[in-house]
Amino acid sequence: MLSFFIAIILLIAGYIVYGSFVEKTFGINDRNKTPAYHNEGHIDYSPLSWWRGSLIQLLNIAGLGPIFGALLGALYGPVVFFWIVLGTIFAGAVHDYFSGMLSLRHNGAQFPGLVGKYLGRPMQSFINIVSICLMILVAAAFIAGPAELIASLTPLSFLTAIFAIFAYFLLAALLPIQRVIGKIYPLFGAVLIFMAVSIAGALVFSDATIPNVTLANLHPEELPVWPMVMVTISCGAISGFHSTQSPIIARTLKKESEGRKVFYGAMIAEGVITLIWAAAGMAFFGGTGGLQAAIAAGGPAGAVNEISTSLLGTLGGVLAVLGVILLPITTGDTALRSSRMMLAELVANAVSLKGKPLLILTIVPVVIPALLLSMIDYSFLWRYVGWTNQLVATVMLWTGCMYLLYAGKNHFICGVPAMFMTAVVCSYIFYAPEGFGLPYGLSMTIGAVLTVFVLAWYVFKIISARRQGAYEQVEKSI
């Protein structure tokens, strides 16, 4: 149990110490007019208080990720505590901060636009496709589970529940942000926090024993920790999905100094929530074997329900139902909203439409495939979300790295985690069953070779920048 408390302390200390260092490296300026005021009145721009923005950001980036992902990651044992803490502080929170602050500095630009500016047009074209596909997959994957639960608890059929959820999705994705998201999402964000804190408190005072950290791999099926854990636990450590959500809130900040609270802080909060659920999964079921049996019997949702109702009684049951229904829905609708915003940027120079015609043009290509994919088995969809998600995260870290390099700042705060995540995605895709399914040794060898090529590119970029004698002052072009 001592490791659990130390991990929480480290996450909080990471926000205070390393978060401050990252903010100083970026260089905030509260005299800059934020997009919320520069474009006030637009459907996606509206000044919100930082605490409201933080809760919305937490809900947008979290959903069921830090709960389901934490339970699946806990199958590897307390070794996951290392990844949750280190990944959150040095990779995930940095990723979220730069995706949000770069968007803010570029008038609320979407993730692909930032990639194009700092990694070039070819990469922008590639990431446009990958990001929109990720949004569609997330929206579809986060509908099937809630729809199934609604169908089991109400007279509604599964198909009716799906259409009802999609009707809400359209409203939330098309209405001004302050109409729905700005009003009710802070409340849902507070529910997510309350649920995690309640579980943590009940767990500490229960008879269950939270295991101390160890490097041993305790997965019942002996799946390798590297690189499987880094993809399994994504939302609780680093997730590319967050880079598509941060621009939504970047368009609502009142001043730049709020960025650390909203972007870095929300990721730290998600790391704490993930840590709590990972610990709960291992402790409540008496180890990874018991946890695997619980997941096999009722899926992650069944495990969440059993933990919640056993530790918190009726309240836990209500929270579990709210979590399994509301959290994925509130992630799915913002996924559609961000994909709509990406498409709007993509077609803005190609068409002369504005207002409602542009909204319809950009929402239809997203809604239809998401609706069709939602009929497919959830577990099948989720396998393809994982690697795509971490690929997007890797590209975002390289984007932040190039921004810092060109600005003559400490680019290693993004470059080091970017190299780490490059190794993860290059290794995972060759080993994973949804990838090439190659033998582990061969997959790791190919992944290492590809990583060395990327490292060589990084070194070349550094040398080229130093040879120029002066770095591009990117702030002047903003």
Side-chain angles (χ1 to χ4, degrees):
M1 186 173 291
L2 180 62
S3 297
F4 174 71
F5 287 111
I6 292 176
I8 290 180
I9 293 171
L10 288 174
L11 285 169
I12 297 172
Y15 169 77
I16 297 171
V17 179
Y18 198 68
S20 178
F21 173 70
V22 170
E23 179 185 61
K24 185 177 180 181
T25 301
F26 180 83
I28 60 171
N29 185 354
D30 280 342
R31 291 176 296 179
N32 291 337
K33 190 175 182 179
T34 63
Y37 293 111
H38 191 266
N39 304 293
E40 193 168 4
H42 187 278
I43 185 174
D44 294 313
Y45 297 83
S46 180
L48 297 176
S49 60
W50 72 265
W51 63 268
R52 191 181 296 271
S54 294
L55 288 172
I56 296 172
Q57 173 74 359
L58 175 60
L59 192 66
N60 286 355
I61 67 176
L64 285 176
I67 301 177
F68 283 11
L71 292 178
L72 293 173
L75 290 172
Y76 292 86
V79 66
V80 299
F81 289 171
F82 281 111
W83 171 236
I84 294 171
V85 173
L86 298 177
T88 297
I89 295 173
F90 298 106
V94 173
H95 167 280
D96 289 14
Y97 183 79
F98 275 88
S99 62
M101 294 304 292
L102 286 178
S103 175
L104 186 145
R105 282 281 180 90
H106 292 78
N107 198 32
Q110 289 295 298
F111 166 60
L114 299 174
V115 171
K117 182 173 180 62
Y118 296 105
L119 294 180
R121 289 296 180 89
M123 181 59 75
Q124 179 181 2
S125 299
F126 169 73
I127 213 64
N128 254 317
I129 297 172
V130 172
S131 298
I132 293 173
C133 287
L134 175 61
M135 296 304 95
I136 293 172
L137 284 170
V138 168
F142 278 0
I143 284 178
E148 287 177 358
L149 186 56
I150 291 173
S152 67
L153 297 175
T154 70
L156 296 177
S157 67
F158 174 68
L159 190 60
T160 303
I162 282 182
F163 279 105
I165 293 172
F166 258 101
Y168 165 75
F169 275 12
L170 285 173
L171 286 175
L174 295 176
L175 288 174
I177 191 168
Q178 70 272 19
R179 292 281 184 88
V180 177
I181 295 176
K183 288 184 178 180
I184 64 174
Y185 279 30
L187 175 61
F188 293 157
V191 169
L192 178 64
I193 295 174
F194 177 75
M195 186 178 182
V197 171
S198 299
I199 291 294
L203 192 65
V204 169
F205 292 104
S206 71
D207 295 331
T209 301
I210 302 175
N212 283 318
V213 70
T214 173
L215 292 176
N217 179 6
L218 303 181
H219 198 288
E221 298 178 10
E222 298 184 351
L223 294 178
V225 171
W226 171 271
M228 306 302 286
V229 165
M230 291 75 191
V231 176
T232 304
I233 298 184
S234 54
C235 287
I238 178 172
S239 166
F241 178 71
H242 299 186
S243 65
T244 68
Q245 300 301 292
S246 294
I248 295 177
I249 305 303
R251 298 181 177 193
T252 70
L253 295 190
K254 295 180 178 180
K255 52 185 178 180
E256 290 190 358
S257 58
E258 295 175 344
R260 181 159 72 101
K261 301 173 186 175
V262 172
F263 301 120
Y264 200 99
M267 185 61 232
I268 292 294
E270 186 178 25
V272 173
I273 293 171
T274 305
L275 192 73
I276 290 171
W277 279 102
M282 287 181 277
F284 182 82
F285 295 107
T288 58
L291 175 59
Q292 185 187 45
I295 293 176
V304 169
N305 183 64
E306 188 173 349
I307 292 171
S308 301
T309 53
S310 298
L311 293 179
L312 302 177
T314 303
L315 173 63
V318 173
L319 289 175
V321 171
L322 284 175
V324 174
I325 292 178
L326 294 179
L327 295 180
I329 289 177
T330 54
T331 299
D333 65 2
T334 51
L336 287 184
R337 188 181 189 92
S338 59
S339 61
R340 188 259 299 164
M341 291 161 61
M342 288 181 197
L343 281 171
E345 279 192 4
L346 187 61
V347 304
N349 296 325
V351 299
S352 58
L353 296 177
K354 293 183 179 181
K356 292 182 180 179
L358 181 61
L359 289 178
I360 295 173
L361 177 65
T362 54
I363 197 68
V364 170
V366 175
V367 168
I368 292 177
L371 179 59
L372 294 175
L373 285 171
S374 65
M375 313 292 181
I376 298 176
D377 179 60
Y378 168 85
S379 60
F380 175 81
L381 288 174
W382 193 247
R383 288 190 315 186
Y384 291 93
V385 170
W387 182 78
T388 307
N389 185 43
Q390 298 304 62
L391 174 64
V392 171
T394 305
V395 174
M396 181 62 236
L397 282 171
W398 282 121
T399 301
C401 178
M402 291 301 105
Y403 162 80
L404 293 172
L405 178 63
Y406 298 152
K409 298 178 180 180
N410 180 6
H411 53 89
F412 292 112
I413 63 172
C414 284
V416 172
M419 280 303 315
F420 180 86
M421 291 306 299
T422 298
V424 168
V425 297
C426 287
S427 301
Y428 181 89
I429 192 60
F430 290 100
Y431 176 71
E434 66 271 25
F436 294 98
L438 299 178
Y440 183 75
L442 178 60
S443 300
M444 297 308 104
T445 300
I446 297 174
V449 171
L450 292 176
T451 302
V452 169
F453 276 111
V454 176
L455 176 60
W457 167 82
Y458 185 24
V459 172
F460 172 77
K461 284 287 186 180
I462 296 173
I463 295 173
S464 297
R466 289 177 176 174
R467 283 179 177 175
Q468 291 175 2
Y471 293 89
E472 175 188 358
Q473 297 301 310
V474 293
E475 288 86 351
K476 293 181 179 179
S477 63
I478 299 173

